[in-house]
Amino acid sequence: MKFAFRFSNLLGAVYRRGNLSFSKDGNSVISPVGNRITVFDLKNNKSETLPVTTTKNITCVGVSPDGHLAILVDEDGAAVLVSLVTRAVLHHFHFHKPVSSIRFSPDGRKFVVTKANVALLYHAPGKRRELNAFVLDKSYYGPYDETTCIDWTDDSRCFVVGSKDTSSWVFGAERWVNLIYYSLGGHKDSVVGCFFEKDSLDLYTLSQDGTLCVWESDTELEGLVLQRRPLRTSRPAQGGEEEEQRGGEDGEPRGEVIKGRADAPKDTEEESSTKNVRFKQISKHFFNKEGDFNNLTAAAFHKDTHILVTGFASGVFHLHELPDFNLIHSLSISDQRISSVAMNSSGDWIGFGCSGLGQLLVWEWQSESYVFKQQGHFNNMADLAYSPDGQYIATGGDDGKVKVWNTSSGLCFVTFTEHTSCVTGVSFTSSGFVIVSSSLDGTVRAFDLHRYRNFRTFTSPRPAQFSCLAVDPSGELVGAGAQDSFEVFIWSMQTGRLLEVLGGHEGPVSGLCFSPVQSVLASASWDHTVRLWDMTDSWQTKETLRLNSHGVALSYRPDGLELAVSTLDGAVSFWNPHTATQTASVSGRHDLESGRKDTDKVTAKQTAKGKSFTSLCYSADGESLLAGGQSKFICIYSIREQILLKKFEISCNLSFDAMEEFLDRRKMTEFGSLSLVDEGVGDGEGVQLSLPGVRRGDMSSRHFKPEIRVTSLRFSPTGRSWAATTTEGLLVYSLDGAMLFDPYDLALDVTPASVRRQLSRQEWASAIMLAFRLNESKLTQEVLEAVPANQIAVVCGSLPEVYVEKLLGFIAVVLERSGHLQFYLSWAQNLLMLHGQNLKNRSGGILPTIQALQRTLQRHHEDLSKLCDWNIYSIRYAAALSNQRGVKRSAKDIHSEEEEEEEEELWSDKLSEASEEETAMVL
């Protein structure tokens, strides 16, 4: 149970591709991130990544009107029905083709899915338990090319579908006599968005070339007549073909099939009393001015406020008021194309997603301000570091940025952009308020978390590319290893001066680490050695450890008595730094289990011989080692037994390369793998291949499948979580105590009934011990909150030492989410006061528990201090306002008040002078 870590959150990536959605109350935005979805709570400023994954990247998300269900569809058309309340998967389904959009009806009873040139109408899953949650009702044919967008009328009677063949189709969700289908033209490019007016059949259509068409219907929604008797399949209706069909040629059920044609529907003799619905184009507007060729890429329309938001390929968005097409304002938010636009239920907030930069913005258009602005690393993350209290995580990326993330909220609150090349290492100092980073641009920079500035820049005498970084435990020394000059540079944090250049390695320096307890620096290199440098003896080489292969990474144990080194042959060796002898070794080549890339000519078993661990990290107690590298697995090893304890699969996303051990033979052709063929030529998301002789366009900007790998690993100082920087983002795994049953000293008489029996007898200490022996968090919390506040000191004094540490750890976890702040603070205070000396003697073992408690208290202190400051300012403002309200002052009163203020200033000056004289006399 010690290593029962579960996926907790995904940081470092806020948006990849697909459509954004707002929750029902409009306070949360749902964003697809790779093969997961993240819910950003804008009101409480938190993010949560659901523990639900699809087999490939998510392309579209449909959220039910009540906000309880969501349908996630990936690139291949595999769908997952997810409960947003319980965060659980309810149903799996496959549409067999890529899906372009999905939309629930406003009443929540049906939803429409568009794939290829077909629109499929399904019955929405209800509250009843069903064997098949997706029941196909109707299939609508009409467009000749791929369908792109969907919108419903407010009463869920009709829906409109846009297509790439420049046409829009209005279909009836029921058997209407006067509206089964209707085709609308008027565009010269593919339709990007189509929207109905509120409580009307009037609609707007937008195309990619920046054209808006306004359509007016001659019939209201109440004028739709429901057909009483079914039509015969042999007779065409409204000039189109309509037939009852339950199975297709491919064996896939189609339900009821409705096929439409592009010509206008004709009135039949039987239905002459009811005229068919007809549409008329009443106006046409253009977004692009003369000479502009800015593609419209995304649009959203709010029916209550009549606000139309349009995003363009240049990163510009416009706000227009319809139907008059009045421009409210226009703004550029990015230099990349806007991939998705969404508006919340009130129409105040607008969400924008830019897939090129991985950017997510929420804009309040009335106040013209950002509600939410987050962006992940543009390229891969290279390194990460926990702050000493475990509250923050700093990451460095290949884009040259250093970002700091809050572990409790999951959001980035500061970004440093001073580096001009890839960041190779980041580290916190022991104070927790300074971040040091190294880069390939030849600089090591120190950033202040109080003022958010770069206050130190360390450079070398000759330009060098720094590949690794280390900061000593005191925070006074900064070391960086160079990969081109094979040297280690040491600077002083206080003065910024270069203290020493350590030479001796004959290959690039790949890893640096200061000893936690001694003045010793360890450096690993590709020259098959690890050198230990003594800082107290003129930086001389204390020991040289000979390795069997190239050194890749190294890490000290928290007590400084052991050094772990990863080598290029896939092994991890353990050394005693005092005696310079090897104590143990683990061969991890077979544990990596790397997959086969699409371009590999050899099998995965052969390529695994060249894989190794690129990052090592000891657990907080030093008994186990966390290792990750060029694989989708992260391994935890027991150092004492030298065995593999557990493997974590960080991703099952097949959109990444090297995920499968064997290539799919169905995708192999005589020309090679189908996955290497560029599809979607000319689309906004695909590869744009220029014609012969055409010089415009960048042929090198091609889409590729990134390889899954782990670049850095760190255990949290609290010991309850660890983080990994991967191709997918910053993954955080933590211990979820609520989901585990891990009893301690269990016996037959230890039951919840016996615990509550002790509570009824007011035997508080025995009830707490029984609850901890059963180890159920809810029962333990119930017992603690039943203890009277005046009995806490007595109970804490009568607890055995074994349960003191357990109770402290439990309080650190519960205090983070409980509202009984003073109650649990009194528990912690009494435990530390009464058992402080015994806890100090075992400080090494309980250090993670104390750090977890400190982190929780620090967060509560920050929240309460902000709240108190706000309340003080509000009370002052209200008091000042109440004094001025209803009082009309004349000019004489104002003049007299000014005189009084001057007199008060004179008196205060005299008093201060008198006090100075008195103090001088006393001295």
Side-chain angles (χ1 to χ4, degrees), residues 510-571:
S510 57
L512 284 180
C513 189
F514 278 97
S515 171
V517 293
Q518 281 187 322
S519 301
V520 175
L521 172 68
S523 61
S525 174
W526 289 8
D527 60 359
H528 295 218
T529 62
V530 171
R531 291 178 180 265
L532 304 180
W533 310 87
D534 193 350
M535 292 185 286
T536 58
D537 187 15
S538 302
W539 296 101
Q540 298 297 319
T541 304
K542 184 180 178 182
E543 295 287 351
T544 301
L545 312 180
R546 298 291 174 182
L547 305 176
N548 295 328
S549 183
H550 302 284
V552 178
L554 78 166
S555 177
Y556 263 105
R557 204 166 72 182
D559 58 2
L561 300 178
E562 192 174 71
L563 182 68
V565 184
S566 169
T567 51
L568 199 63
D569 58 357

Side-chain angles (χ1 to χ4, degrees), residues 675-723:
S675 57
L676 300 179
V677 178
D678 297 323
E679 296 181 356
V681 176
D683 297 342
E685 294 285 346
V687 183
Q688 295 190 356
L689 301 178
S690 60
L691 294 171
V694 176
R695 297 184 180 272
R696 185 181 175 187
D698 185 11
M699 289 293 290
S700 64
S701 60
R702 308 173 72 86
H703 286 261
F704 66 99
K705 293 173 69 175
E707 184 180 357
I708 187 71
R709 60 194 176 105
V710 180
T711 54
S712 181
L713 285 168
R714 291 293 182 273
F715 250 104
S716 170
T718 62
R720 293 193 60 83
S721 63
W722 53 267

Side-chain angles (χ1 to χ4, degrees), residues 386-392 406-408 716-718 720-721 812 816 849-862:
Y386 266 101
S387 62
D389 59 357
Q391 193 169 358
Y392 305 123
N406 192 320
T407 54
S408 58
S716 170
T718 62
R720 293 193 60 83
S721 63
E816 194 168 354
T849 305
I850 300 297
Q851 286 177 333
L853 185 62
Q854 181 186 359
R855 189 187 85 173
T856 306
L857 295 178
Q858 180 71 21
R859 190 176 65 84
H860 278 298
H861 177 265
E862 291 177 359

